[in-house]
Amino acid sequence: MARSLPPLTWLRSFEASARHLNFTAAAQELGLTQSAISQQVRALELRLGVQLFVRKPRGLALTDDGRRFLPQVGAALDQLARAVSGFETGSQADLLTVAASVSVSRWLISPHLQDFLGAHPGLRLRLIGTIWPDEFSASLADVEIRFGSAQQVGKGADRLMPDDLVAVARPDRKASTVRIETVGTSNSWRDWTIRDGQAADIAPSVFVDSYGAALDLAVGGTGAALTSSLLAANALADGRLALISETRLPSQEGYFLAITSRSEAAAAFKDWLLAQVAKAGSQVMAG
């Protein structure tokens, strides 16, 4: 059922006028003219069918209806202010917004993020967790890291490489027969097994919905995960994970980086992330 409410500006004008008991002071607070405040309050009175103020030569006085109405309006405005504050991040001038999946934020961005922030003092960073294409279109981010095929992610996005699929496990669990598979992607453990030349095909017994979740389980010792080498690079470089075979399976989907603003911070973040990806990738290939 549609709510029939007076315009919010009328209510704000009433509340400010009631606090100051003066239209001029209310106008200065709200950045309006005294005439606009007076007209909005009068329109509110006509809408409600009651008189809220007694107009006096040097100010205002609340009527009984006005005194009864004021605390309810004030409480409602306070509640709206609290609701809005939960989304505010302050000035946008020094705020960089990056939209990426939780997997990318955890395994690709966070390992060396302090280096980027240290090189850009005063910059504030907001990470938005996004997965599906429609979420990216609504994110209003400066930088987007999308997952999918080249056709799915759209134009203007560069694929982050290398991103072959690799089989990884904790060093003390490389012999584990537990296979962790990510569903919803085009490649599977069966594809990797065939490429590896193995006669035996061990069927996966654990299924997750992201490469990042597969990495979490592998690091925890559950078993071996087939996952993106891009995400696994840092864990392989620092020894938390090891390859169970040198076999690499080309992936039909990948992670694509897109810059959607012309800000210097967005360009700097792109350069930094590409450098991190190249460094981690070279360490893994060398190892």
Side-chain angles (χ1 to χ4, degrees):
M1 181 177 179
R3 294 183 175 90
S4 178
L5 295 173
L8 180 60
T9 53
W10 295 4
L11 297 172
R12 291 179 67 225
S13 293
F14 161 72
E15 191 273 339
S17 299
R19 279 189 288 105
H20 293 289
L21 292 178
N22 188 286
F23 286 148
T24 300
Q28 292 174 346
E29 176 183 321
L30 299 180
L32 299 173
T33 65
Q34 186 272 343
S35 176
I37 294 291
S38 177
Q39 290 175 13
Q40 290 178 7
V41 170
R42 181 55 181 161
L44 179 61
E45 290 176 322
L46 291 173
R47 173 71 176 270
L48 299 177
V50 298
Q51 185 176 350
L52 299 172
F53 294 105
V54 175
R55 277 74 169 169
K56 296 184 175 182
R58 294 188 178 181
L60 304 168
L62 283 164
T63 64
D64 289 342
D65 288 322
R67 282 191 291 269
R68 186 165 58 251
F69 193 43
L70 176 60
Q72 299 177 63
V73 173
L77 291 175
D78 287 342
Q79 185 173 356
L80 286 172
R82 288 193 296 271
V84 171
S85 67
F87 296 92
E88 291 182 333
T89 54
S91 170
Q92 302 296 305
D94 58 350
L95 178 67
L96 176 67
T97 301
V98 177
S101 67
V102 174
S103 296
V104 169
S105 294
R106 166 154 164 60
W107 290 101
L108 185 58
I109 295 177
S110 68
H112 303 287
L113 182 59
Q114 72 276 11
D115 296 334
F116 174 77
L117 295 175
H120 299 83
L123 179 68
R124 294 175 301 130
L125 177 68
R126 176 172 60 184
L127 292 173
I128 300 177
T130 50
I131 299 176
W132 308 113
D134 59 333
E135 292 177 320
F136 279 104
S137 65
S139 66
L140 300 178
D142 303 299
V143 180
E144 297 177 356
I145 303 175
R146 312 164 186 164
F147 177 79
S149 65
Q151 183 177 3
Q152 289 173 321
V153 300
K155 298 180 179 180
D158 299 318
R159 188 163 184 168
L160 299 176
M161 300 289 283
D163 67 347
D164 293 335
L165 298 183
V166 292
V168 297
R170 208 166 65 184
D172 62 345
R173 295 285 290 160
K174 289 176 65 174
S176 173
T177 58
V178 175
R179 295 290 185 260
I180 306 164
E181 181 156 293
T182 302
V183 298
T185 60
S186 300
N187 302 106
S188 65
W189 266 106
R190 184 176 184 277
D191 299 321
W192 183 90
T193 301
I194 293 173
R195 191 175 184 85
D196 194 51
Q198 296 183 24
D201 182 9
I202 302 175
S205 54
V206 178
F207 300 89
V208 294
D209 62 357
S210 70
Y211 288 139
L215 282 168
D216 284 326
L217 292 179
V219 169
T222 299
L226 183 66
T227 188
S228 167
S229 61
L230 182 71
L231 298 189
N234 283 292
L236 289 167
D238 63 25
R240 282 177 293 165
L241 293 175
L243 296 172
I244 66 172
S245 167
E246 294 297 325
T247 296
R248 294 171 178 268
L249 178 67
S251 175
Q252 295 185 39
E253 295 95 8
Y255 294 95
F256 291 76
L257 176 65
I259 303 298
T260 60
S261 80
R262 297 181 179 179
S263 72
E264 293 183 2
F269 185 87
K270 176 182 179 180
D271 292 342
W272 168 81
L273 187 61
L274 291 177
Q276 295 303 315
V277 168
K279 180 180 179 181
S282 63
Q283 289 175 338
V284 172
M285 295 297 290

